Amino acid sequence: MFKHRALKAATGVTALAALATLTACAGGTSNSGSAKMKVAFLMPDIASTRYELFDKPLFEAKLSSLCADCEVVYANAKADPATQQRQADSALAQGVKALVIDPVDSAAAATIVNRAHAQGVPVIAYDRPIPDGKADYYVSFDNEAIGRMIAKSLVDHLKETGAKGGLLEVNGSPTDAAAGLIKKGIHQAVDPSGLKLLDEYDTPGWDPTKAQNWVSSKITQYKGRIAGVVAANDGTAGGTIAAFKAAGIDTVPPVTGNDAELAAAQHIVAGEQYNTISKPIKTVAEAAAEIAYGFAQGETPAAPTSIFDTPARLFEPTVVTLDNLAVTLIDNGPFKASEICTAAYAEACRKAGIE
């Protein structure tokens, strides 16, 4: 199970309170004398460390607190849509009463939704929407806002520092509808900024190596003209930073990120990454567990908004820079200072006042 420190993230108590009425066996009440009720939790990849470290254990813990006899059927597709389809089929064959899925491929996941619905199983899209599949519910942080926020944060910083040059934009996977929303938000901040967008790239599978290779080619093409890079998540940010280092550039231009991974926190402390996005996973994982349990009980959870004609609950994220990193990711977040401030980052931490 997860470490208690992972639970220090913001809980979204107010947002979840509206769902409390769905939890008929809240507090761990057992469905004594009946078979375990199963709920599927299908995650997309291992390129991002969050799914195994946080999403899975947090979802399991919340569902267990709602129903001691409930069982989570978990699988990770490792970025393969066909594998995710097989995992969904397996979960349905096991008799799950609700299916929570973070799709590898948002379009391909429509088939999973249709198969689940054919068996009367509700589907909750998690973190990434399924525009063509009409899932029963979508729970996530506001991805369009994420793109807008990281890009505006970078644009404002470049203007304040008088940086010269243009921007590169490293987007997420072209098969991920959430990546499309992030991309849309990025353009909302970049297009009217007055800064030239030199080039942009949709990164297949969010693969950091593919991002690195593309950025490497652009460093050569736009030598000395790159003022900053808007990267859609911490993985593509890491690939971007690696590209500049491999090119022998001592001072990496400001790079954005998203997901608040440990490596991103270290890059920010070291001055190699300008920002990331804190999305307390506990918030969405617990909300998804509440919603899935409600559907499994035959309820229809209330939704404050909708996206792609799907009832939705979208939470607000927080931009993290060096200025608020200690408060957001250590004091009220998932990390200890010692985890960020390893030997390689000890001096940078000291200069930043993080100990």
Side-chain angles (χ1 to χ4, degrees):
M1 296 300 288
F2 59 92
K3 299 180 181 178
H4 290 299
R5 62 177 176 78
L7 298 180
K8 292 164 59 184
T11 61
V13 172
T14 301
L16 294 179
L19 298 172
T21 57
L22 302 176
T23 57
C25 69
T29 301
S30 171
N31 294 327
S32 179
S34 61
K36 286 189 175 183
M37 185 173 71
K38 297 179 180 180
V39 174
F41 192 64
L42 308 181
M43 295 295 99
D45 60 62
I46 57 175
S48 176
T49 59
R50 54 169 282 195
Y51 301 114
E52 304 295 319
L53 292 178
F54 300 112
D55 297 77
K56 175 181 180 284
L58 288 166
F59 181 88
E60 289 176 331
K62 184 59 179 179
L63 188 64
S64 178
S65 76
L66 298 173
C67 176
D69 285 342
C70 287
E71 177 184 343
V72 175
V73 176
Y74 175 75
N76 188 301
K78 298 182 179 178
D80 184 356
T83 296
Q84 191 164 62
Q85 178 68 72
R86 290 192 295 271
Q87 291 169 343
D89 289 342
S90 174
L92 291 171
Q94 294 178 59
V96 297
K97 298 301 182 183
L99 190 151
V100 180
I101 180 170
D102 192 335
V104 174
D105 184 316
S106 294
T111 300
I112 294 174
V113 174
N114 292 337
R115 290 185 182 180
H117 285 172
Q119 297 185 34
V121 177
V123 177
I124 297 91
Y126 181 86
D127 200 36
R128 302 174 182 176
I130 308 174
D132 299 329
K134 304 304 179 190
D136 298 273
Y137 209 102
Y138 173 50
V139 58
S140 178
F141 281 88
D142 188 334
N143 288 295
E144 190 172 323
I146 286 171
R148 184 170 59 251
M149 291 165 71
I150 60 174
K152 186 177 187 306
S153 170
L154 176 65
V155 165
D156 289 347
H157 173 69
L158 293 176
K159 289 183 176 181
E160 288 169 4
T161 57
K164 304 298 182 182
L167 299 173
L168 294 180
E169 182 177 330
V170 186
N171 302 308
S173 173
T175 63
D176 177 358
L181 293 172
I182 293 172
K183 179 178 179 178
K184 180 180 178 181
I186 289 172
H187 278 281
Q188 289 171 1
V190 170
D191 293 353
S193 71
L195 296 173
K196 182 178 178 61
L197 179 60
L198 300 172
D199 211 339
E200 66 178 298
Y201 176 64
D202 294 342
T203 310
W206 292 91
D207 189 331
T209 300
K210 288 183 171 66
Q212 179 178 346
N213 292 339
W214 182 80
V215 173
S216 293
S217 70
K218 298 305 165 182
I219 291 172
T220 301
Q221 182 178 352
Y222 298 109
K223 187 174 182 179
R225 296 166 56 192
I226 302 172
V229 181
V230 186
N233 78 340
D234 290 336
T236 54
T240 296
I241 293 165
F244 280 100
K245 288 184 174 181
I249 297 174
D250 294 332
T251 303
V252 177
V255 179
T256 71
N258 163 33
D259 283 338
E261 294 187 349
L262 177 59
Q266 293 174 323
H267 286 149
I268 291 173
V269 168
E272 298 166 342
Q273 185 169 326
Y274 179 65
N275 69 26
T276 187
I277 285 283
S278 173
K279 302 182 295 186
I281 295 170
K282 188 176 192 295
T283 301
V284 290
E286 291 195 345
E290 294 263 12
I291 291 163
Y293 182 69
F295 273 117
Q297 291 290 97
E299 304 287 346
T300 301
T305 188
S306 66
I307 187 167
F308 299 118
D309 294 326
T310 301
R313 182 173 293 278
L314 303 178
F315 297 95
E316 288 296 322
T318 301
V319 176
V320 179
T321 65
L322 187 58
D323 290 339
N324 66 342
L325 185 147
V327 171
T328 307
L329 299 186
I330 299 175
D331 296 344
N332 298 299
F335 304 123
K336 295 178 181 177
S338 60
E339 292 175 304
I340 297 173
C341 303
T342 57
Y345 297 94
E347 180 60 21
C349 281
R350 186 190 64 78
K351 290 180 179 178
I354 300 172
E355 298 183 49

